[in-house]
Amino acid sequence: ALDIVRSATVEARPPGARDSSAAGDSTLAIEPGATLPVTIRITEAERRLVSGELGYVTDAGLSSEARWTHRNFTGGGRVLTLTSLAQTGWLSIETSPDIRYRGALSLKQPALIDRRGSTVVSPFIDKRDDSQDRSIRYGLNTTFVHQLRYLQSISLDYQIARRHVYEYRFGDLASGEIDLLTFLTQASQGLLTSGGANLNLSTFTLSGSLGRVDNPANP
């Protein structure tokens, strides 16, 4: 399950065993106490990976995302990923486009606590300029994932962040660009007329995934 491993196969074949693809019974008796040779083949993936996307979003204009990944950072199968996102607002059809710039650095530590557990620590910074506000947010995400079985996992995520708001924008309430609940929340906090406000966020998220295949080796 490590990102650095592209493929892994295990083959146990007694000496003198016939090819299983040959016609007839390929079963071979093994003497008690005999040695059974096992062949393990592991193919590593490229240690470094660079990928990117470039596209157009109607309410965000020209957008791009780039990722740089090291699949075996300092050994042990650790994965280091640097991600950047840019939604420029250029050529958007909206009068108030969703402009956003985001950068994040994540480190994944496999086999934490036990071999089925892994932890991802990711500091991030996010700057946005949209119909809600013009602000900058920075914080830290920590996620623990426990693999129960193949395609079955449970994860616990904790995020702590602070958003500094330079300017609130609520004039587009009638057009639906900002929802009523967000407007009432900001109004109750007295934030609609106060620039330079700091909003602190601390959240826990528990989630899980459930799936199955008929044959994990050949689904």
Side-chain angles (χ1 to χ4, degrees):
L2 298 178
D3 292 0
I4 189 60
V5 178
R6 172 172 293 176
S7 64
T9 60
V10 180
E11 180 183 0
R13 190 175 181 186
R18 292 187 293 272
D19 189 350
S20 60
S21 63
D25 186 9
S26 60
T27 304
L28 183 66
I30 303 175
E31 294 292 335
T35 300
L36 181 64
V38 177
T39 302
I40 302 175
R41 295 183 178 90
I42 297 178
T43 303
E44 284 193 2
E46 293 290 339
R47 298 201 171 193
R48 294 173 179 84
L49 174 67
V50 178
S51 61
E53 300 172 1
L54 179 65
Y56 175 80
V57 185
T58 56
D59 58 354
L62 292 177
S63 304
S64 65
E65 184 174 1
R67 290 175 296 274
W68 178 87
T69 302
H70 194 303
R71 290 168 166 161
N72 197 34
F73 182 69
T74 69
R78 299 177 188 88
V79 181
L80 180 68
T81 304
L82 177 62
T83 306
S84 62
L85 170 71
Q87 295 179 342
T88 63
W90 297 344
L91 304 179
S92 172
I93 64 176
E94 299 288 340
T95 56
S96 299
D98 293 337
I99 300 175
R100 183 183 180 191
Y101 296 93
R102 177 182 173 89
L105 181 69
S106 66
L107 178 64
K108 179 181 179 180
Q109 171 63 56
L112 187 69
I113 300 178
D114 63 32
R115 65 184 181 86
R116 295 187 177 184
S118 61
T119 297
V120 180
V121 179
S122 178
F124 64 88
I125 184 170
D126 189 356
K127 182 179 181 180
R128 78 181 188 187
D129 186 355
D130 57 16
S131 59
Q132 296 189 40
D133 59 41
R134 182 170 61 89
S135 62
I136 185 171
R137 182 180 65 149
Y138 53 91
L140 178 71
N141 261 92
T142 303
T143 306
F144 176 75
V145 181
H146 182 70
Q147 196 76 26
L148 302 175
R149 295 180 62 186
Y150 186 69
L151 294 182
Q152 298 179 14
S153 64
I154 186 171
S155 63
L156 177 64
D157 177 84
Y158 174 66
Q159 180 184 117
I160 182 171
R162 165 171 285 193
R163 181 183 297 278
H164 180 76
V165 181
Y166 298 99
E167 177 187 359
Y168 281 99
R169 294 168 179 163
F170 54 96
D172 295 325
L173 176 62
S175 64
E177 292 189 10
I178 180 173
D179 61 275
L180 180 60
L181 181 59
T182 300
F183 175 80
L184 294 176
T185 301
Q186 295 177 355
S188 65
Q189 297 174 346
L191 299 175
L192 296 180
T193 57
S194 59
N198 290 319
L199 305 178
N200 298 322
L201 177 69
S202 178
T203 60
F204 281 98
T205 304
L206 180 65
S207 60
S209 63
L210 177 64
R212 72 179 186 88
V213 294
D214 52 355
N215 183 358
N218 185 22

